[in-house]
């Protein structure tokens, strides 16, 4: 399991899932392969990244079980061993989670990502049984637990302690509500030697410090600016936390501010801004499946201006 923990270090990159612009919005296989080739050819290899197939930004919530497996199979095939692969396995059913775990092992992914089931307010004991079911189904498969407190139960410190007893839970994708109890820092500082902590709170300049010990970082920028993620990891490895913070403030924050503006005032979901940014550097694109609405016309200009401001390479001229 130590090898799996080491493999998970670096940028954690959720690949958006492209669809055809047809009424049924079928999976665009050629575009998905182009995404993976772009990431790997740009240097996001096993030294710098893990790719997540069919996560939230990959539209898992709008895809069928079979489509989710197809996406993972394509990503594994196109990556061809150049980079570790995780598969989104979030679901509301323990039985389906076990099926996803078995399928992930068969497909050849290295990790599955799981969160506490949503809709019902499940207890932490429910969630522990849920994770253990997946772990027991495929003991050699790495499991990444994602604390999606905004859609389901927030994981307590004691729950993280219990998850640490499960050998193949190797990653903790950690986000926490911000209070004076410093929940984010508390878990990172106490569990970074047990799990590979993936910072999902955008505290990279802080969380990467030895006192907290995060070794992986959720990086949307990699989908349209892989070099940014490579530089981030290089700066973390040299301990240049001031530069990491500068990168977040000057080049990261404008992206996230635009994302939050869209989320508050136009549509919700995930991956839609990544896709538009990818389109503006010449990659194939699509909308997310509804109910997330298409932002490509309404936010084209603002997105192009944001990308120009932060210095994204390969940016095409705005029509």
């Amino acid at each position: 399991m130590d090898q799996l923990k080491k493999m998970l270090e670096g940028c954690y990159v959720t690949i958006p899932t492209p669809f055809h612009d047809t009424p049924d919005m079928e999976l665009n296989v050629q575009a998905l392969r182009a995404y993976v080739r772009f990431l790997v050819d740009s240097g996001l290899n096993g030294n710098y990244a893990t790719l997540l197939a069919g996560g939230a930004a990959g539209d898992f919530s709008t895809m069928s079980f079979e489509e989710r497996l197809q996406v993972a199979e394509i990503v594994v095939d196109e990556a061809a061993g150049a980079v570790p692969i995780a598969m989104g396995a979030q679901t509301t059913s323990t039985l389906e989670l076990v099926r996803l775990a078995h399928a992930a092992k068969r497909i050849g992914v290295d990790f599955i990502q799981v969160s506490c089931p949503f809709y019902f307010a499940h207890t932490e004991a429910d969630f522990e049984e849920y994770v253990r079911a997946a772990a027991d189904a495929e003991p050699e498969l790495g499991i990444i637990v994602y604390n999606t407190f905004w859609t389901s139960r927030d994981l307590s410190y004691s729950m993280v302690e219990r998850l640490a007893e499960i050998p193949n839970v190797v990653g903790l994708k950690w986000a926490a509500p911000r209070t004076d109890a410093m929940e984010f820092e508390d878990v990172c500082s106490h569990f970074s030697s047990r799990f590979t902590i993936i910072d999902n709170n955008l505290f990279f300049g802080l969380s990467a410090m030895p006192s907290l010990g995060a070794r992986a970082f959720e990086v949307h920028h990699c989908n349209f600016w892989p070099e940014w993620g490579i530089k981030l990891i290089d700066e973390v490895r040299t301990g240049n936390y001031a530069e990491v913070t500068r990168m977040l403030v000057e080049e990261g924050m404008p992206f996230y501010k635009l994302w939050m503006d869209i989320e508050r005032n136009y549509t919700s979901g995930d991956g839609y801004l990544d896709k538009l940014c990818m389109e503006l550097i010449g990659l194939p694109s699509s909308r997310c499946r509804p109910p997330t609405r298409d932002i490509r016309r309404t936010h084209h200009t603002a997105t192009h201006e944001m990308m120009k401001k932060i210095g994204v390479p390969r940016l095409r001229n705005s029509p």
Side-chain angles (χ1 to χ4, degrees):
M1 294 304 157
D2 286 343
Q3 181 182 0
L4 285 171
K5 288 167 58 179
K6 184 68 176 176
M7 288 167 58
L8 194 52
E9 295 180 5
C11 294
Y12 193 66
V13 185
T14 304
I15 304 173
T17 301
F19 304 104
H20 288 288
D21 285 318
T22 62
D24 290 333
M25 297 192 68
E26 302 92 345
L27 177 65
N28 187 335
V29 173
Q30 289 184 330
L32 180 57
R33 288 188 178 277
Y35 290 0
V36 179
R37 284 196 302 273
F38 170 72
L39 296 175
V40 173
D41 290 348
S42 298
L44 287 178
N45 55 36
N47 194 41
Y48 284 104
T50 297
L51 305 184
L52 172 62
D59 263 82
F60 88 87
S61 62
T62 67
M63 291 193 291
S64 68
F65 184 90
E66 291 74 19
E67 286 176 319
R68 296 175 72 176
L69 301 191
Q70 184 182 4
V71 166
E73 288 172 340
I74 292 166
V75 173
V76 168
D77 182 63
E78 196 64 39
V83 61
I85 307 297
M87 184 180 88
Q90 281 131 300
T91 176
T92 56
S93 164
T94 302
L95 297 177
E96 183 171 78
L97 175 62
V98 169
R99 290 176 62 206
L100 286 164
H102 286 315
K105 187 64 175 176
R106 173 182 58 79
I107 291 167
V109 304
D110 303 288
F111 312 95
I112 56 171
Q113 176 180 283
V114 302
S115 293
C116 189
F118 43 92
Y119 190 79
F120 291 114
H122 288 285
T123 67
E124 290 193 330
D126 292 337
F127 182 53
E128 183 178 354
E129 286 194 4
Y130 175 87
V131 176
R132 288 187 181 276
D136 292 343
E138 292 293 346
E140 302 303 314
L141 183 67
I143 295 177
I144 301 162
V145 171
Y146 185 12
N147 187 30
T148 50
F149 64 86
W150 51 94
T151 65
S152 56
R153 176 169 296 277
D154 183 24
L155 302 183
S156 67
Y157 186 99
S158 61
M159 182 73 249
V160 178
E161 284 185 311
R162 294 198 295 277
L163 293 173
E165 299 170 359
I166 306 173
N168 54 329
V169 176
V170 296
L172 182 63
K173 188 176 178 182
W174 188 243
R178 197 68 186 154
T179 76
D180 290 343
M182 300 174 67
E183 289 88 348
F184 182 87
E185 294 90 337
D186 193 18
V187 165
C188 284
S189 62
H190 284 91
F191 292 100
S192 58
S193 61
R194 169 58 184 85
F195 306 108
T196 295
I197 303 287
I198 305 169
D199 180 347
N200 195 63
N201 256 27
L202 296 171
F203 290 163
F204 303 167
L206 174 66
S207 66
M209 290 183 177
S211 56
L212 296 188
R215 290 293 177 265
F217 310 90
E218 171 86 357
V219 184
H220 283 262
H221 277 50
C222 285
N223 282 315
F224 57 91
W225 191 359
E227 298 87 351
W228 195 89
I230 291 169
K231 177 175 170 21
L232 173 75
I233 300 306
D234 284 341
E235 299 296 350
V236 166
R237 288 172 177 166
T238 59
N240 193 355
Y241 308 118
E243 175 61 10
V244 170
T245 300
R246 184 208 64 78
M247 291 173 66
L248 277 172
V249 170
E250 295 184 9
E251 298 152 358
M253 191 162 59
F255 172 88
Y256 287 100
K257 288 183 73 172
L258 178 56
W259 184 359
M260 289 299 98
D261 178 66
I262 297 170
E263 185 105 343
R264 285 192 298 265
N265 299 308
Y266 188 74
T267 195
S268 184
D270 203 339
Y272 47 80
L273 187 54
D274 298 57
K275 286 184 175 183
L276 179 50
C277 291
M278 293 162 81
E279 178 179 307
L280 291 174
I281 64 164
L283 289 168
S285 184
S286 79
R287 63 173 291 178
C288 295
R289 280 179 173 169
T292 299
R293 289 189 289 160
D294 193 349
I295 71 163
R296 288 175 293 174
R297 291 192 179 187
T298 56
H299 292 83
H300 180 281
T301 299
T303 302
H304 190 276
E305 290 176 352
M306 177 273 294
M307 295 174 74
K308 183 176 180 180
K309 175 183 177 182
I310 67 177
V312 176
R314 296 176 290 270
L315 181 61
R316 296 189 168 191
N317 292 330
S318 183

